[in-house]
Amino acid sequence: MHQMIHITPIHLPAAPAPTEEPARQYFYIRAAREYIRQLSAQKGEPLTFHVATFGCQMNAKDSEKLTGILEEAGYQKSDSENADFVLYNTCTVRENANNKVYGRLGYLNGFQKKNPFMMIGLCGCMMQEPAVVDKIRQSYRFVNLIFGTHNIYKFAELLYTALENTFGRDGDKNGSSMTVDIWQDTDKIVEDLPVERKYTFKSGVNIMFGCNNFCSYCIVPYVRGRERSRKPGDILQEIKTLAADGVKEVMLLGQNVNSYGKNLEEPCTFAQLLRDVADIDGIERIRFMTSHPKDLSDELIAVMAQSEKICRHLHLPLQSGSTRLLKIMNRRYTKEQYLHLVEKMRAAIPDIAITTDIIVGFPGETEEDFNETMDVVCRVGFDSAFTFLYSKRTGTPAAAMENQVPEETVKARFDRLLYKVQEIAAKKAMRYEGTVQKVLIEHVNERDESLVTGRLDNNSIVHLPGNAGMIGTIADVYLKECKGFYYIGEAR
Ligand code: 5AD
Ligand code: SF4
């Protein structure tokens, strides 16, 4: 398929690749750039790339890093999957995330058959599952590059290797061989690699990687590895640079931000880190994701209550309202402890928005257990909730439990829950109707160009008359009408 491409010998920088990071990756960015320049010359047009992201905020952030490197290497960004390098950054938290990827691979192969310059890459959480990689090696042989979550910092090097393995080094090694590199874990954090800045005014910032909690349904600890925190100095430096570049809102990212800092040589709590981030001039809004109820400290509540900059929004996954099930899920809190935490939070910050994640149909879930979940939903009154059908993930303890709940039962409970969640969320949203709130304007409305769209500090969406000049500003907006999940507003 790639036989007609001829690469002339490439003059890599004279020195061998450095062993230190990130210097090694910068070396491979230069090498890839030269390679891509030659491919582009043969194609007669610049090579393009497309990164598709599945899953969570963490993956979205990883995709910005991948994009940053692809741009530095000389590929041009494309909105279309009919590009010269298509990279899927995958998710595996639920089974349907995996199925989506397999479905779309066949379609990508159609493009590749017509484009001898096209490479297909797969990375992210799904690639950390050996069964997935075996299946791709066997049934999707046209894939050119596979890597996982632990060696993403080596992407430039992997990209260069894949280019050579696909198109050859000097014309005599043509013919595609798949480049596969998956690591089981890493304790390394490499700073200062290129990263795409998707928005000028807001940015996600990783504060930690991995998860040590092993909730019994969850595959994340197996595919993202053990918890490790970035040093506070590195995080603060990154945010200062972002602020100097005009960023107003940062979202601190981690699977369990409340246990930030535990593995550092000089321990630092998440609350301390938040305090230091709030001291940075130019940063006006601070968000974070995700909190685990078992680790949420009084110190954090106090910092949130004191700081004007920390958004009045807490995403606090409940998963189940049944203490019995929570124990089997290995969540390490009870229904009462969760409710008490919400009470403390609301006592300190009365109008805080609380959102959550809930799983329906965990093995052994009885009608009684489910009613406990409904009870918590009603008592807390979540501003919104992500509801999930339990999905069996091979390798997790819950997948081996015998009392899986029949599909129809799960579906019926799910519908009941969703109805209740939406009813409550719509009621909650009404409380801001008729008030003036601060809104960070994010983009021009896709459907109506006379409108702009932004977010309240509680993360709700607002549409208001405006123009592109307002993007990135924080405006006082009168919320004229609540439409359930969004507001219609007017700048004041
Ligand atoms: N099945 C369904 N939902 C799951 N989640 C994690 N693992 C599973 C699973 N096996 C949900 C949890 C988590 C969110 C990111 O995904 O609610 O908070
Ligand atoms: Fe998964 Fe639990 Fe870790 Fe969240 S805290 S990523 S649900 S194991």
Side-chain angles (χ1 to χ4, degrees):
M1 177 187 350
H2 296 292
Q3 60 275 28
M4 65 271 226
I5 296 178
H6 183 87
I7 297 294
T8 49
I10 288 168
H11 300 291
L12 292 179
T19 49
E20 289 296 302
E21 298 291 6
R24 187 177 174 85
Q25 297 315 309
Y26 281 97
F27 172 92
Y28 280 106
I29 288 174
R30 288 195 300 277
R33 195 189 294 149
E34 172 56 24
Y35 202 108
I36 289 159
R37 193 189 62 73
Q38 290 195 32
L39 284 179
S40 298
Q42 291 190 45
K43 195 175 182 196
E45 60 187 40
L47 294 198
T48 57
F49 78 94
H50 180 89
V51 177
T53 311
F54 300 80
C56 66
Q57 302 274 355
M58 206 68 91
N59 261 18
K61 183 71 203 180
D62 283 349
S63 287
E64 290 181 15
K65 297 177 185 174
L66 297 163
T67 298
I69 287 172
L70 288 165
E71 285 179 334
E72 289 281 313
Y75 273 113
Q76 292 196 358
K77 195 170 172 178
S78 162
D79 288 337
S80 156
E81 294 203 347
N82 190 1
D84 299 300
F85 183 42
V86 175
L87 181 59
Y88 278 1
N89 188 8
T90 63
C91 168
T92 187
V93 76
R94 287 170 291 276
E95 182 71 31
N96 55 2
N98 290 35
N99 294 338
K100 255 190 248 165
V101 169
Y102 290 126
R104 279 167 66 165
L105 273 179
Y107 161 79
L108 281 190
N109 189 221
F111 290 137
Q112 199 189 37
K113 282 184 178 147
K114 294 189 192 128
N115 177 5
F117 293 88
M118 181 171 179
M119 290 208 301
I120 297 173
L122 296 172
C123 65
C125 296
M126 196 175 149
M127 300 305 124
Q128 292 296 139
E129 290 182 274
V132 168
V133 177
D134 287 347
K135 180 167 171 172
I136 291 165
R137 278 182 196 269
Q138 274 174 19
S139 311
Y140 299 87
R141 297 215 42 82
F142 53 87
V143 170
N144 304 93
L145 170 63
I146 302 179
F147 59 99
T149 55
H150 304 303
N151 53 350
I152 184 171
Y153 74 84
K154 278 195 171 290
F155 177 52
E157 184 171 349
L158 292 161
L159 171 68
Y160 181 74
T161 311
L163 285 164
E164 276 202 350
N165 287 344
T166 304
F167 303 112
R169 168 86 187 242
D170 50 18
D172 59 16
K173 214 177 84 184
N174 276 358
S176 354
S177 69
M178 202 187 275
T179 306
V180 183
D181 193 13
I182 313 281
W183 298 3
Q184 284 322 303
D185 207 346
T186 184
D187 52 12
K188 212 174 163 94
I189 296 178
V190 177
E191 299 288 343
D192 300 324
L193 284 165
V195 54
E196 181 204 27
R197 289 277 316 286
K198 205 167 172 181
Y199 305 94
T200 51
F201 53 88
K202 68 170 184 177
S203 180
V205 174
N206 293 115
I207 63 164
M208 60 196 302
F209 304 93
C211 180
N212 284 352
N213 288 323
F214 291 96
C215 300
S216 63
Y217 50 82
C218 186
I219 200 163
V220 168
Y222 305 89
V223 296
R224 286 262 172 194
R226 293 298 64 73
E227 203 171 279
R228 51 213 187 276
S229 299
R230 282 178 75 194
K231 292 189 191 113
D234 289 336
I235 297 169
L236 296 171
Q237 188 49 53
E238 179 180 342
I239 298 175
K240 279 179 195 155
T241 308
L242 289 170
D245 265 7
V247 165
K248 296 203 169 101
E249 178 180 303
V250 287
M251 161 91 89
L252 308 181
L253 298 170
Q255 304 293 350
N256 177 13
V257 292
N258 305 100
S259 77
Y260 170 79
K262 284 188 182 152
N263 61 338
L264 289 170
E265 270 169 34
E266 284 173 42
C268 167
T269 64
F270 179 56
Q272 268 169 305
L273 179 74
L274 268 180
R275 227 182 258 129
D276 293 343
V277 174
D279 282 342
I280 297 176
D281 286 338
I283 295 299
E284 293 182 40
R285 279 184 170 185
I286 305 164
R287 303 185 183 283
F288 53 88
M289 251 321 184
T290 291
S291 293
H292 193 305
K294 81 176 163 62
D295 297 310
L296 200 146
S297 65
D298 290 346
E299 188 195 6
L300 175 69
I301 299 177
V303 173
M304 286 182 76
Q306 281 154 16
S307 171
E308 289 274 303
K309 292 184 177 180
I310 302 173
C311 289
R312 290 163 302 162
H313 172 211
L314 179 70
H315 186 67
L316 193 64
L318 168 69
Q319 313 300 4
S320 167
S322 153
T323 296
R324 188 188 78 85
L325 273 197
L326 285 169
K327 191 160 173 39
I328 307 173
M329 286 177 162
N330 195 28
R331 292 289 291 176
R332 286 170 278 179
Y333 54 85
T334 62
K335 174 185 180 184
E336 288 68 30
Q337 283 167 335
Y338 187 96
L339 289 170
H340 182 57
L341 196 52
V342 169
E343 241 170 64
K344 276 202 293 189
M345 207 74 216
R346 289 214 168 118
I349 311 161
D351 65 343
I352 190 162
I354 300 181
T355 58
T356 200
D357 292 345
I358 298 169
I359 298 175
V360 181
F362 181 83
E365 183 188 75
T366 62
E367 205 52 30
E368 234 171 27
D369 293 319
F370 178 70
N371 286 335
E372 295 275 37
T373 300
M374 292 289 277
D375 185 45
V376 176
V377 165
C378 294
R379 282 162 72 172
V380 171
F382 293 108
D383 289 80
S384 81
F386 294 110
T387 50
F388 303 108
L389 296 166
Y390 167 72
S391 172
K392 202 169 168 176
R393 306 314 290 130
T394 309
T396 62
M401 293 176 188
E402 277 165 10
N403 42 2
Q404 305 283 327
V405 185
E407 215 179 301
E408 320 80 79
T409 314
V410 180
K411 191 77 193 53
R413 286 179 191 161
F414 183 86
D415 290 346
R416 264 172 72 198
L417 176 67
L418 189 63
Y419 182 82
K420 191 44 95 188
V421 157
Q422 290 182 346
E423 183 185 71
I424 293 172
K427 244 186 241 155
K428 287 243 130 185
M430 284 301 292
R431 75 186 190 278
Y432 292 114
E433 200 179 76
T435 67
V436 174
Q437 300 287 332
K438 294 218 174 299
V439 175
L440 173 58
I441 310 295
E442 301 202 338
H443 54 84
V444 173
N445 193 290
E446 292 96 5
R447 295 214 193 112
D448 179 349
E449 287 189 358
S450 69
L451 298 177
V452 288
T453 300
R455 282 177 193 270
L456 301 185
D457 93 334
N458 73 12
N459 218 23
S460 301
I461 289 175
V462 186
H463 304 297
L464 60 144
N467 55 55
M470 293 164 75
I471 294 173
T473 61
I474 295 179
D476 283 322
V477 175
Y478 172 67
L479 304 180
K480 219 162 54 175
E481 196 184 347
C482 171
K483 295 276 199 183
F485 299 107
Y486 63 93
Y487 301 88
I488 303 292
E490 232 166 47
R492 273 293 148 97

